[in-house]
Amino acid sequence: MAWSKLSRQERGYGAAWDRVRKVVMERDGGLCQVCLKAGRYGVIAYAVDHIISKAKCAALRWSDARTDDPSNLQAICAPCHEVKTEAEQGKTKRPKLTIREDGWPGSE
């Protein structure tokens, strides 16, 4: 994905976002909520993620206030965020190939 030429403020991540982000991180204890739901405890979150993506919210014609409401936000770690974003964009990762004992490539 190409980097956006818009500033973070133009993309909707200005001072108001910083305040909401802080509230969500405090509410979630700075822990990844996706990991917690999967039974992985104590994984530190690095970002705040829209549970329903901004693109989908726009398609649903949600207001900016509803899109950025804390009920639609969660603290999330980098690996979970990457997987979630790829799934939302319809991308999948190919399995990692290794060389098997017989000398041919195979997936793990």
Side-chain angles (χ1 to χ4, degrees):
M1 182 171 125
W3 288 99
S4 173
K5 294 183 193 291
L6 300 174
S7 70
R8 66 186 290 260
Q9 287 80 12
E10 291 171 319
R11 292 189 330 260
Y13 296 105
W17 171 256
D18 290 338
R19 288 189 293 276
V20 172
R21 182 187 187 283
K22 183 178 179 182
V23 166
V24 172
M25 282 295 226
E26 287 175 358
R27 178 197 70 197
D28 294 348
L31 299 176
C32 177
Q33 299 304 294
V34 177
C35 285
L36 282 174
K37 289 175 187 152
R40 297 183 301 268
Y41 302 100
V43 180
I44 304 298
Y46 91 107
V48 169
D49 176 61
H50 290 84
I51 297 167
I52 299 174
S53 71
K54 289 183 82 165
K56 190 165 189 173
C57 289
L60 294 170
R61 297 178 183 245
W62 284 15
S63 67
D64 288 344
R66 184 173 180 191
T67 300
D68 291 341
D69 187 81
S71 66
N72 187 39
L73 300 171
Q74 65 184 348
I76 195 167
C77 67
C80 288
H81 194 235
E82 182 179 342
V83 168
K84 182 177 179 288
T85 300
E86 287 174 350
E88 288 170 348
Q89 294 174 352
K91 297 179 182 177
T92 57
K93 289 193 175 209
R94 295 189 317 188
K96 184 177 179 181
L97 293 179
T98 59
I99 304 300
R100 301 185 311 218
E101 288 183 23
D102 62 7
W104 288 93
S107 60
E108 292 181 336

